[in-house]
Amino acid sequence: MNEKYLVINAGSSSLKFSLYEMPEEKEIVNGYVERIGNEGSCYSLKYNGNKIQKEKLIMSHVEAVQIMLQELLQNNFISDLSDIKGVGHRVLHGAEKYSDSVIIDDSVLNDIVSLTELGPLHHPGQIDGIKAMQECLPGVPQVAVYDTAFHQTMPIENYLYATPYEWYEKDGVRKYGFHGTSHKYITETMKEHYGTDNVNLIICHLGSGASMCCVKNGKSIDTTMGFTPLAGLIMGTRSGDIDPSIIPYIMKKQNKTINEVIDDLNKKSGLLGIASKNDFRDICAMANNGNTNAQLAFTKFKKSVVKQIADYYFQLNGKVDAIIFTAGIGENTPSIREAIVNEISNPMNIKLNKESNNNIASFKEQKSGKISTNESSTDVLVIPTNEELMIALDTYRLSKENNKDNNKTKVYK
Ligand code: ADP
């Protein structure tokens, strides 16, 4: 039987989707609807090296979903809407309540709505996406896959800030961590790779948004992002960790509101702040041409990762099975991988296999593999992340369970 599962990543004015055939784990088509509710809205679908691209006025998420479903039908990716057995939604914040993905019922949706205060930039669009899918595919299980869920295994000494304890108890101020779907995907891949659940890993998810995760016995015990995705490593446009006293100081100095300063920290800082470019390819090209600010951005980015590797190496008591590079920068930039590995080479007894490192890039033949020598004490690997597949897997698992439960109810009635 044809079982298809949709993966939805909805933003305030966009909707990304992928259609998977399960359990084959095969992505059949993916697409992107842009500028929902604005002039110039358009959408595209990609499959088997082909691309469909159309401009159309799309006023709401419901319209975006209707168009997506129409295209899936017209192009025979599905023969009937009933082919779709489940829909998985990327949701930013599950707070402390959700340590796994979950079937969305009224109370889960209410929780996602009330957690908007912890994810003000992401939740409104994600809620629109869920409601639109519920309206267009009634009766089909909808699953929430939280970016925070994988990190719910962190011990309190790692997630608690040294702020007044009531900030945590009353207002939920703590480290939550994000990119959990990616860190979970890499962890599952490494469990398979080593044939055991008890893997100890240092995962470097280096993309525009960047975070690292310390995995002990297959579980997240620490991560770099915090209460929000602004914390931790230097990122494309985000500052990462800074002294919070800078905020009132700049408000006063530059006559800015708190929102303006937070906006600067989210959108005008990081690589962009230091070198005027947020794309790592530009940073590398400029650095190679002698631009000193780009060189500084490269070095600071490298150092922020190396510092964290050192921290996690000690948290794992030196027992690290692998350091993994993933996401846009991690997968595609041999020079940053080389620079990072060179810094940890002596203390961790790791040697880079330069040839493997230079051959791994998504635009080259090889997309994943080991970049450390066999003599190294710890493996260093490049593994392309696949958050969509992770969402499809959770959606498949929970939709199946849900259908089984519903069938059981029917039998006992
Ligand atoms: P996000 O998902 O957070 O938007 P990505 O994982 O897509 O981020 O990573 C984007 C970053 O990856 C950009 O800085 C970009 O420069 C870098 N990147 C993407 N593709 C390549 C490539 N082929 N070569 C070098 N860097 C790349």
Side-chain angles (χ1 to χ4, degrees):
M1 199 172 69
N2 250 349
E3 289 211 3
K4 310 266 167 67
Y5 290 81
L6 264 173
V7 172
I8 302 290
N9 187 352
S12 54
S13 64
S14 70
L15 190 125
K16 282 188 208 157
F17 64 91
S18 305
L19 184 70
Y20 276 85
E21 200 159 70
M22 299 298 279
E24 291 79 7
E25 301 183 12
K26 187 175 157 205
E27 192 194 54
I28 305 163
V29 56
N30 65 57
Y32 190 33
V33 188
E34 287 176 81
R35 292 190 217 114
I36 299 171
N38 294 307
E39 257 176 54
S41 49
C42 57
Y43 65 92
S44 59
L45 284 90
K46 283 190 200 161
Y47 59 98
N48 275 342
N50 301 308
K51 191 168 180 181
I52 298 171
Q53 201 158 11
K54 291 185 187 164
E55 278 182 27
K56 187 170 168 51
L57 190 63
I58 303 166
M59 289 314 293
S60 65
H61 283 72
V62 172
E63 257 184 66
V65 169
Q66 283 166 345
I67 287 167
M68 170 187 78
L69 294 173
Q70 237 169 36
E71 288 286 351
L72 294 180
L73 281 165
Q74 272 167 13
N75 292 288
N76 295 319
F77 296 120
I78 50 173
S79 50
D80 192 275
L81 288 184
S82 64
D83 288 352
I84 300 171
K85 304 296 183 204
V87 183
H89 297 266
R90 183 176 194 175
V91 179
L92 181 83
H93 223 300
E96 288 191 331
K97 189 165 175 186
Y98 295 99
S99 55
D100 193 4
S101 305
V102 66
I103 295 276
I104 303 173
D105 57 16
D106 288 350
S107 102
V108 172
L109 186 56
N110 283 340
D111 283 343
I112 298 172
V113 172
S114 59
L115 285 168
T116 301
E117 61 180 2
L118 293 183
L121 302 177
H122 295 81
H123 275 218
Q126 292 168 349
I127 292 161
D128 285 346
I130 293 168
K131 287 185 174 166
M133 286 305 323
Q134 284 178 330
E135 194 175 323
C136 297
L137 291 178
V140 175
Q142 311 278 329
V143 174
V145 180
Y146 299 99
D147 252 9
T148 48
F150 184 64
H151 301 300
Q152 277 300 303
T153 46
M154 284 190 290
I156 189 163
E157 65 267 27
N158 281 350
Y159 71 68
L160 189 75
Y161 292 121
T163 49
Y165 200 74
E166 62 172 33
W167 289 18
Y168 166 58
E169 281 190 313
K170 283 199 186 140
D171 296 319
V173 171
R174 51 159 283 178
K175 179 192 278 195
Y176 290 101
F178 300 86
H179 285 151
T181 313
S182 173
H183 291 301
K184 182 175 171 185
Y185 174 80
I186 298 294
T187 303
E188 294 302 321
T189 306
M190 296 314 294
K191 282 182 186 174
E192 236 169 75
H193 180 81
Y194 289 119
T196 170
D197 282 354
N198 291 324
V199 287
N200 286 355
L201 311 169
I202 298 175
I203 305 172
C204 311
H205 175 114
L206 310 179
S208 302
S211 75
M212 289 173 58
C213 182
C214 182
V215 173
K216 187 174 182 183
N217 293 328
K219 294 190 165 62
S220 169
I221 61 159
D222 206 357
T223 190
T224 52
M225 284 178 169
F227 180 64
T228 73
L230 178 55
L233 303 176
I234 292 173
M235 303 179 223
T237 63
R238 290 176 229 163
S239 63
D241 291 341
I242 61 157
D243 181 341
S245 307
I246 294 168
I247 296 171
Y249 177 77
I250 284 296
M251 284 170 68
K252 208 167 163 194
K253 278 280 177 194
Q254 300 190 5
N255 197 21
K256 285 187 168 175
T257 64
I258 182 115
N259 285 341
E260 285 169 336
V261 177
I262 295 290
D263 214 50
D264 283 353
L265 292 173
N266 269 304
K267 297 184 185 150
K268 294 185 185 160
S269 300
L271 301 172
L272 182 72
I274 301 169
S276 318
K277 292 280 179 189
N278 64 308
D279 191 301
F280 209 72
R281 284 166 287 200
D282 293 331
I283 297 290
C284 291
M286 286 157 62
N288 285 338
N289 284 333
N291 180 307
T292 49
N293 274 39
Q295 287 165 354
L296 183 62
F298 186 97
T299 303
K300 278 190 72 70
F301 185 77
K302 173 191 74 177
K303 285 200 96 165
S304 75
V305 175
V306 168
K307 256 176 154 168
Q308 223 44 65
I309 293 177
D311 177 341
Y312 293 167
Y313 177 67
F314 279 89
Q315 290 205 47
L316 293 170
N317 199 20
K319 297 185 180 73
V320 186
D321 295 308
I323 297 170
I324 299 109
F325 289 103
T326 192
I329 299 169
E331 291 165 28
N332 296 300
T333 321
S335 60
I336 194 72
R337 296 195 299 248
E338 179 172 348
I340 292 167
V341 174
N342 282 345
E343 294 268 325
I344 59 172
S345 182
N346 279 338
M348 291 183 72
N349 188 31
I350 293 171
K351 244 188 136 178
L352 187 76
N353 180 332
K354 272 198 171 194
E355 201 187 329
S356 306
N357 185 44
N358 289 334
N359 278 329
I360 293 177
S362 63
F363 50 85
K364 293 193 180 164
E365 283 289 287
Q366 227 172 322
K367 291 190 179 178
S368 69
K370 192 164 117 173
I371 59 168
S372 52
T373 60
N374 287 339
E375 295 72 40
S376 299
S377 299
T378 300
D379 288 344
V380 183
L381 297 140
V382 179
I383 311 274
T385 193
N386 197 339
E387 288 159 292
E388 288 75 21
L389 176 58
M390 196 67 247
I391 296 174
L393 284 164
D394 275 6
T395 306
Y396 175 66
R397 167 174 61 90
L398 289 166
S399 302
K400 282 268 176 207
E401 277 173 28
N402 183 63
N403 288 339
K404 233 190 264 165
D405 288 349
N406 285 345
N407 288 341
K408 257 191 222 156
T409 321
K410 272 179 211 150
V411 172
Y412 293 133
K413 256 183 190 171

